[in-house]
Amino acid sequence: MGRLDRKVAIITGAASGIGKEIAKRFASEGAKVVIADLQMPAAEAAAAEIKRDGGIAMVVAMDVSDEAAVEVGVTRTIERFAGLDILVSNAGIQIVKPIDEFPFAEWKKMLAIHLDGAFLTTKACLRHMYRARGGAIIYIGSVHSKEASLLKAPYVTAKHGLIGLCKVVAKEGAKHGVRANVVCPGFVRTPLVEKQIPEQARALGISEDEVVRNVMLRETVDGEFTTTEDVSEAAVFFAAATTNALTGQSLIVSHGWFME
Ligand SMILES: NC(=O)c1ccc[n+]([C@@H]2O[C@H](COP(=O)([O-])OP(=O)(O)OC[C@H]3O[C@@H](n4cnc5c(N)ncnc54)[C@H](O)[C@@H]3O)[C@@H](O)[C@H]2O)c1
């Protein structure tokens, strides 16, 4: 018996990286998973992998910052799987630049994906969860929900914002049996981070190796990257919780980079 047996979970940004691993892990725990992403071939490949391993998965094309696309994706999920229990709001991108050089359009794009995306998917899922009298929403925040770094103004702003959204969802959702929590990973070696290593090296005038050792992992207790499996474990923990005892919380999974 899996910890998420018979649950239906939408995971945004699940064609790659952390979201893909969460989808695989949720499926192995018995959930029916919906891979909601922009990248269709990669999303189909992730679903195929899950099915090959005996899981149940479907794909929906979704830009999380597009209200109509979010509505369609959530409706298709409910039609196909006859319910909706869990949302993992994970889709995200990274753009690194100093604030005085940050183009306004790129600032707005970052907030649209991270914050509008979290709001729109939450809103669409909550309506169904309220009707069903239960649900769990998990936001993928970051150590940058708690801490700042150079060059990451919109990312840090958005990731701090997710904690605020989560707390309001926890308060409003409680009487409907809906819980909301945030998982805050440290650096995980996904395409999002691979892209940043040369960019940060250029922006800070240091080598790529120094970016990894002195910027990304310096404050960890063991010099190790967080893994997608580490993050998935925390996501299952929140998804499988059964009461309002665990709501409105954020859990940092970062090899001790940030402690509170
Ligand atoms: N990798 C890390 O070190 C790290 C650390 C902390 C938090 N995070 C967060 O984890 C989440 C996943 O990041 P990742 O590292 O797995 O990145 P990734 O680039 O491997 O995957 C991100 C996925 O999101 C999708 N996506 C991007 N914009 C989208 C949109 N508008 N609508 C739908 N899907 C969209 C992409 O197509 C991709 O499949 C992000 O929110 C990120 O901020 C990552």
Side-chain angles (χ1 to χ4, degrees), residues 11-22 35-40 42-43 60-66 70 89-94 109-110 112-114 117 139-145 152 155 159 162 183-196 216 225-226 228 231 253 257:
I11 300 131
T12 68
S16 172
I18 291 171
K20 181 176 174 183
E21 183 65 32
I22 291 174
I35 294 169
D37 207 293
L38 292 170
Q39 299 187 61
M40 277 309 95
V60 297
M62 184 191 285
D63 174 347
V64 294
S65 64
D66 174 343
V70 169
S89 171
N90 163 81
I93 62 165
Q94 180 61 285
K109 181 178 181 188
M110 285 291 289
I113 295 173
H114 287 275
Y139 299 97
I140 303 303
S142 165
V143 163
H144 288 111
S145 300
K152 295 189 176 174
Y155 190 80
K159 292 298 190 187
L162 287 180
V183 178
C184 299
F187 281 101
V188 184
R189 238 174 152 153
T190 65
L192 179 139
V193 159
E194 294 295 348
K195 172 175 160 286
Q196 278 176 64
M216 295 182 164
F225 277 98
T226 300
T228 56
V231 182
V253 184
W257 161 17

Side-chain angles (χ1 to χ4, degrees), residues 1 27-28 53 67 71 82 86 88 110 132 138 143 169 189 203 258:
M1 191 82 176
S28 75
D53 294 340
E67 184 172 17
E71 291 290 336
I86 303 163
V88 182
M110 285 291 289
I138 295 146
V143 163
V169 174
R189 238 174 152 153
F258 189 80

Side-chain angles (χ1 to χ4, degrees), residues 234-248:
V236 170
F237 172 68
F238 281 132
T242 51
T243 74
N244 284 336
L246 200 57
T247 195

Side-chain angles (χ1 to χ4, degrees), residues 130 165-176 178-180 244 247-248:
Y130 285 179
L165 175 63
C166 165
K167 289 178 178 174
V168 178
V169 174
K171 290 203 170 193
E172 292 186 5
K175 63 177 179 291
H176 306 281
V178 174
R179 295 169 292 99
N244 284 336
T247 195

